[in-house]
């Protein structure tokens, strides 16, 4: 379980970011009914872990773009929107990792904008004087590369991308919707698995102002305790 938590919360030693404000989901590049289905699925999964959803006509901070020319779209985006993840005039172009996350030709690719919120009044001997906030996320879906994946599977996969912080390459042995595009996965999940749901609940229930190691330890403990509780019923 500790391995799954590590792979689903990113590989950084910095604090694990999460949504501490409401999200506004926009889906582009597909027929309205499909766009609405994906947006509603992401919103429903967000609500289960306490992430509030903005109403209509809100400024989007979750941008999901579906395309049959994703590679060209990414190149155009990086050329025209260099300010999405940092102040280019002040800091220069986005880190090479941000660019690599988008240019990697996967069925679904994503990159996230985050910010450190200073909370000096909330610091203690055990906690840190800041927390990591998710500010925005861009998800690009390369429809031809998705093969025979269903809309239910795709929207569940995107939900984990938006709400957690998974690494782009996830092996098939973790019992997660994130193994959907792993060629070695035989039984593809149709929805979020029990492990996925527990991981998301753990991420949004555990302390936010501690180190990444403490966050992951608390998440693993939360999941194991909840699994044991369910078995003992």
């Amino acid at each position: 379980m500790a391995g799954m938590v590590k792979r689903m919360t990113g590989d950084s030693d910095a604090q694990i970011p999460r949504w501490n404000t409401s999200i506004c989901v926009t889906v582009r590049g597909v027929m309205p009914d499909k766009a609405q289905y994906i947006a509603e699925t992401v919103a429903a999964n967000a609500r289960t872990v306490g992430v509030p959803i903005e109403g209509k006509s809100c400024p989007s901070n979750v941008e999901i773009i579906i395309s049959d020319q994703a590679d060209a779209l990414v190149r155009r985006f990086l050329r025209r929107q260099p300010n999405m993840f940092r102040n280019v005039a002040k800091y220069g172009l986005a880190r090479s990792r941000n660019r690599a996350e988008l240019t990697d030709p996967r069925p679904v690719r994503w990159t996230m904008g985050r910010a450190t919120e200073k909370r000096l009044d909330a610091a203690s001997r055990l906690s840190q004087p800041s927390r990591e906030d998710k500010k925005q996320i861009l998800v690009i879906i390369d429809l031809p590369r998705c093969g025979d994946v269903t809309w239910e599977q795709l929207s569940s996969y995107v939900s984990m991308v938006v709400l957690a912080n998974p690494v782009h390459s996830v092996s098939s042995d973790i019992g997660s919707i994130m193994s959907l595009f792993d060629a070695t996965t035989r039984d593809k999940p149709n929805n979020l698995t029990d492990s996925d749901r527990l991981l998301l609940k753990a991420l949004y229930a555990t302390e936010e102002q501690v180190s990444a190691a403490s966050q992951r330890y608390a998440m693993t403990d939360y999941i194991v305790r909840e699994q044991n509780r369910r078995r003992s019923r």
Side-chain angles (χ1 to χ4, degrees):
M1 184 53 65
M4 177 182 179
V5 169
K6 176 73 172 178
R7 281 174 283 185
M8 298 295 281
T9 56
D11 53 8
S12 171
D13 290 331
Q15 285 177 309
I16 301 168
R18 68 187 188 193
W19 296 105
N20 293 304
T21 57
S22 57
I23 64 174
C24 177
V25 183
T26 299
V27 182
R28 307 182 191 278
V30 71
M31 295 297 291
D33 60 329
K34 299 297 190 298
Q36 182 177 359
Y37 180 80
I38 293 173
E40 289 180 350
T41 301
V42 173
N45 287 317
R47 290 189 187 98
T48 64
V49 294
V51 176
I53 307 299
E54 289 282 356
K56 295 181 179 180
S57 301
C58 53
S60 174
N61 55 6
V62 176
E63 187 88 7
I64 301 167
I65 303 176
I66 303 174
S67 175
D68 59 0
Q69 297 182 4
D71 295 339
L73 174 66
V74 166
R75 289 193 297 270
R76 187 165 62 250
F77 173 84
L78 290 173
R79 185 172 65 252
R80 295 181 180 178
Q81 301 291 337
N83 282 296
M84 178 174 180
F85 299 105
R86 62 190 301 173
N87 184 327
V88 174
K90 186 174 182 180
Y91 299 110
L93 291 174
R95 293 181 301 122
S96 59
R97 177 166 179 169
N98 292 130
R99 301 174 69 85
E101 287 170 343
L102 289 180
T103 54
D104 193 6
R106 297 178 177 275
V108 181
R109 59 190 94 173
W110 61 91
T111 193
M112 175 186 64
R114 59 193 285 174
T116 302
E117 180 183 345
K118 299 295 183 182
R119 298 168 63 83
L120 295 174
D121 59 321
S124 71
R125 190 163 56 88
L126 298 178
S127 66
Q128 297 186 358
S130 64
R131 72 179 186 193
E132 286 298 300
D133 294 343
K134 276 189 171 184
K135 288 300 185 182
Q136 55 189 335
I137 186 168
L138 172 68
V139 182
I140 295 180
I141 299 172
D142 189 331
L143 208 53
R145 288 191 173 108
C146 288
D148 58 358
V149 166
T150 68
W151 290 105
E152 179 183 14
Q153 290 173 314
L154 186 59
S155 60
S156 297
Y157 184 97
V158 171
S159 293
M160 285 300 289
V161 167
V162 170
L163 296 172
N165 303 285
V167 296
H168 278 64
S169 178
V170 179
S171 61
S172 63
D173 61 349
I174 66 171
S176 169
I177 189 66
M178 292 304 298
S179 65
L180 182 63
F181 296 107
D182 188 320
T184 64
T185 303
R186 293 184 178 181
D187 298 321
K188 308 285 188 181
N190 289 319
N191 208 321
L192 298 186
T193 66
D194 288 342
S195 295
D196 290 331
R197 297 183 190 281
L198 280 177
L199 185 139
L200 288 177
K201 288 181 179 179
L203 174 60
Y204 286 90
T206 50
E207 176 61 45
E208 60 188 14
Q209 288 183 231
V210 293
S211 68
S214 295
Q215 285 177 299
R216 292 189 179 103
Y217 178 84
M219 289 177 64
T220 302
D221 181 65
Y222 178 102
I223 294 169
V224 171
R225 285 189 290 106
E226 184 62 22
Q227 288 175 330
N228 290 337
R229 185 184 68 81
R230 293 181 181 184
R231 293 191 191 104
S232 64
R233 286 179 180 175

